[in-house]
Amino acid sequence: MAQVRVTRLARELPLVPDATLLLRTLAAGHEGAEAPSELVAQLKIRGLVQILDLRPAITELGHTYLAATDDVRTDTNVCVIDVDRRARTVQVEVPAWRDGELATVLLDQVVGDSGLDAVMLSGRWLVAEANLSALDHDRLVLTGFRSAAPLPAGGVAVDGGEAR
C-alpha cells in the first residue's frame, strides 16, 4: 500500500522541485547533502527520507517515488483471477507485463478505484495504470483501476483493444 501511496503522490501531487532534487541527490549517493531542515522534515514525514548518522538518506519509498516520476506508466488491461475478501487482496493477471503470472493488489484499492463491489470482480477485465518495465512483482505498481471496454465477441482483451 505504501508503494501505491507514494506512486500516487508522485503522479498526482508531486513534491516541489527542490524536494525532488534533494531525493535525486541522495539517490546518487550523496548522503551528506546539505538541505534545509524543513525540506528534510517534509520528506521524512512522507517516508521518503530517513536520518542516518544525523544526515538525510533516501529510503526505499524515496526510490519508489523517483521511479514513479521517471518510469513510463501505461494504461493496461488486467484480469481479476481471484478475490480473497478475508485477506482483502485480489490476484490479477497483467498480460502486457508477464502473461500467466499473478500480481497481488489490495481489494480496497481495486474497489475504491473502480467503484465495483468485491463480489463483481472475479473473472472481470479492468484497466489499470502500470509500470510495465518493472523487473519483479515487488516493483510492479498498479493504480487507477477502472472498468474495461466490453470484450470483442469470442476474444480476450489485450492492450490496444485487440483480441487474442
Side-chain angles (χ1 to χ4, degrees):
M1 186 61 189
Q3 287 183 318
V4 170
R5 178 184 56 80
V6 167
T7 298
R8 284 190 165 157
L9 173 69
R11 306 297 286 186
E12 299 168 12
L13 296 167
L15 299 170
V16 296
D18 287 347
T20 303
L21 179 60
L22 175 58
L23 278 181
R24 290 192 189 287
T25 301
L26 295 172
H30 303 288
E31 288 88 10
E34 292 297 321
S37 59
E38 62 275 358
L39 193 59
V40 172
Q42 189 181 97
L43 295 173
K44 187 175 177 207
I45 288 170
R46 290 181 170 90
L48 306 177
V49 164
Q50 60 187 338
I51 304 299
L52 297 175
D53 298 325
L54 302 176
R55 295 175 186 252
I58 192 168
T59 63
E60 282 302 312
L61 286 178
H63 287 289
T64 299
Y65 178 91
L66 291 176
T69 61
D70 297 340
D71 286 353
V72 174
R73 295 193 53 81
T74 306
D75 282 347
T76 189
N77 291 305
V78 300
C79 183
V80 177
I81 303 300
D82 185 50
V83 176
D84 185 337
R85 290 191 289 182
R86 186 179 195 138
R88 308 294 299 162
T89 59
V90 176
Q91 295 288 310
V92 297
E93 182 181 3
V94 187
W97 178 64
R98 291 191 183 158
D99 198 17
E101 288 193 38
L102 300 181
T104 302
V105 293
L106 297 174
L107 175 60
D108 293 328
Q109 177 193 356
V110 177
V111 168
D113 286 354
S114 70
L116 298 170
D117 190 82
V119 297
M120 301 172 65
L121 291 175
S122 287
R124 189 175 193 119
W125 282 93
L126 301 172
V127 175
E129 188 178 283
N131 54 331
L132 297 176
S133 63
L135 299 177
D136 56 45
H137 292 90
D138 291 336
R139 290 192 168 89
L140 179 67
V141 181
L142 301 168
T143 58
F145 288 89
R146 58 199 180 279
S147 293
L151 296 177
V156 176
V158 295
D159 286 338
E162 300 172 13
R164 66 174 174 137

